């Protein structure tokens, strides 16, 4: 027979630690996400120059962002005894140490963020591969022996590359909308939990 999780001092200290670390990393995740967003245009740069600089920065920073989300998710899962929910006490029964529904939802929210950012990383990797391939095709076009569909494929790749930056901006805008929900959850969790 399964018995409810015993709230030993060790278990409670672990929960408090995991909640504090989750909260700390959530804030880091949010600020790191804000750094991924495109900067506003300035008089010194054209929109296209800004887009290219932003896209290069996105390629570098997105993996750091993935690591932060992964760490935050691990602490969030540990804080709610993820996978052992039958053992945990809910907040309605224990106002001090019980698990909030918002904490459970926050785990799912972080999983969605991680899934989306991994999709973005895969797209960036694919786009780099296509760019490299397009460059090698450009070299093929300069050799008189080669002929055929290279020009047609090159045009399609160039047209696709022109829309890539806008697609990533759109994805990040959707993530920003999601963060409004996540920040509301996070605010509720912080307000109701008082671990010392």
């Amino acid at each position: 027979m399964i018995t409810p999780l015993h709230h030993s001092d060790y278990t409670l200290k672990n929960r408090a630690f995991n909640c504090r670390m989750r909260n700390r990393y959530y804030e880091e995740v949010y600020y790191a996400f804000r750094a991924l967003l495109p900067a506003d245009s300035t008089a010194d740069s054209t929109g296209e120059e800004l887009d290219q600089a932003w896209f290069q920065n996105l390629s570098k920073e997105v993996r750091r962002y993935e690591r932060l989300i992964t760490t935050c998710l691990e602490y969030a899962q540990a804080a709610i005894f993820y996978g052992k929910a039958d053992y945990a006490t809910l907040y309605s029964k224990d106002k001090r140490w019980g698990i909030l529904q918002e904490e459970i939802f926050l785990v799912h929210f972080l999983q969605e963020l991680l899934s989306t950012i991994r999709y973005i990383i895969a797209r960036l990797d694919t786009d780099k591969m296509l760019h490299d391939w397009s460059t090698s095709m450009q070299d093929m076009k300069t050799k008189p022996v080669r002929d055929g569909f290279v020009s047609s494929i090159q045009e399609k790749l160039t047209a696709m590359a022109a829309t890539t930056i806008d697609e990533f901006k759109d994805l990040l805008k959707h993530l920003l909308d999601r963060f409004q929900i996540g920040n509301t959850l996070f605010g509720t969790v912080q307000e109701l939990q008082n671990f010392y």
Side-chain angles (χ1 to χ4, degrees):
M1 181 173 146
I2 297 174
T3 57
L5 184 67
H6 177 65
H7 282 187
S8 67
D9 287 342
Y10 177 75
T11 303
L12 297 180
K13 284 179 185 174
N14 259 354
R15 172 149 161 72
F17 171 78
N18 287 318
C19 287
R20 281 193 298 270
M21 294 302 288
R22 173 204 59 209
N23 294 353
R24 181 182 140 215
Y25 273 97
Y26 182 84
E27 289 178 6
E28 284 191 43
V29 163
Y30 182 67
Y31 290 121
F33 170 74
R34 298 296 295 189
L36 293 178
L37 297 174
D40 294 328
S41 58
T42 62
D44 299 338
S45 304
T46 66
E48 191 173 321
E49 288 171 345
L50 276 175
D51 282 350
Q52 289 301 323
W54 168 75
F55 192 66
Q56 288 175 353
N57 183 58
L58 177 67
S59 298
K60 291 180 208 168
E61 292 296 319
V62 74
R63 282 175 173 72
R64 176 180 171 269
Y65 181 65
E66 179 194 21
R67 286 190 302 273
L68 287 172
I69 292 176
T70 301
T71 303
C72 184
L73 177 60
E74 288 169 0
Y75 282 117
Q77 289 173 330
I80 64 165
F81 311 110
Y82 193 72
K84 301 175 185 174
D86 294 340
Y87 297 91
T89 304
L90 294 177
Y91 182 78
S92 58
K93 295 181 181 171
D94 182 353
K95 299 289 187 221
R96 175 82 172 113
W97 295 104
I99 295 171
L100 297 162
Q101 292 295 326
E102 289 82 355
E103 287 181 279
I104 296 168
F105 193 77
L106 189 61
V107 166
H108 297 298
F109 170 74
L110 290 168
Q111 288 171 330
E112 182 189 2
L113 284 183
L114 186 58
S115 172
T116 304
I117 208 66
R118 285 183 174 159
Y119 167 75
I120 290 172
I121 289 170
R123 275 290 313 276
L124 286 167
D125 290 344
T126 302
D127 286 350
K128 183 183 181 324
M129 182 195 67
L130 286 174
H131 175 73
D132 293 346
W133 190 53
S134 177
T135 303
S136 72
M137 285 177 53
Q138 185 67 32
D139 293 342
M140 287 172 60
K141 279 174 50 177
T142 61
K143 297 176 183 168
V145 181
R146 302 284 180 180
D147 200 8
F149 300 103
V150 172
S151 294
S152 174
I153 294 170
Q154 181 74 30
E155 288 170 11
K156 286 179 173 54
L157 287 173
T158 302
M160 191 172 72
T163 63
T164 299
I165 290 177
D166 290 336
E167 288 178 34
F168 281 108
K169 285 181 178 180
D170 194 44
L171 276 171
L172 292 177
K173 183 192 172 301
H174 289 302
L175 280 178
L176 183 60
D177 295 341
R178 295 264 197 294
F179 261 111
Q180 292 186 1
I181 297 167
N183 289 347
T184 302
L185 283 171
F186 183 65
T188 302
V189 167
Q190 278 195 312
E191 184 180 321
L192 293 174
Q193 288 180 333
N194 185 23
F195 298 129
Y196 41 80

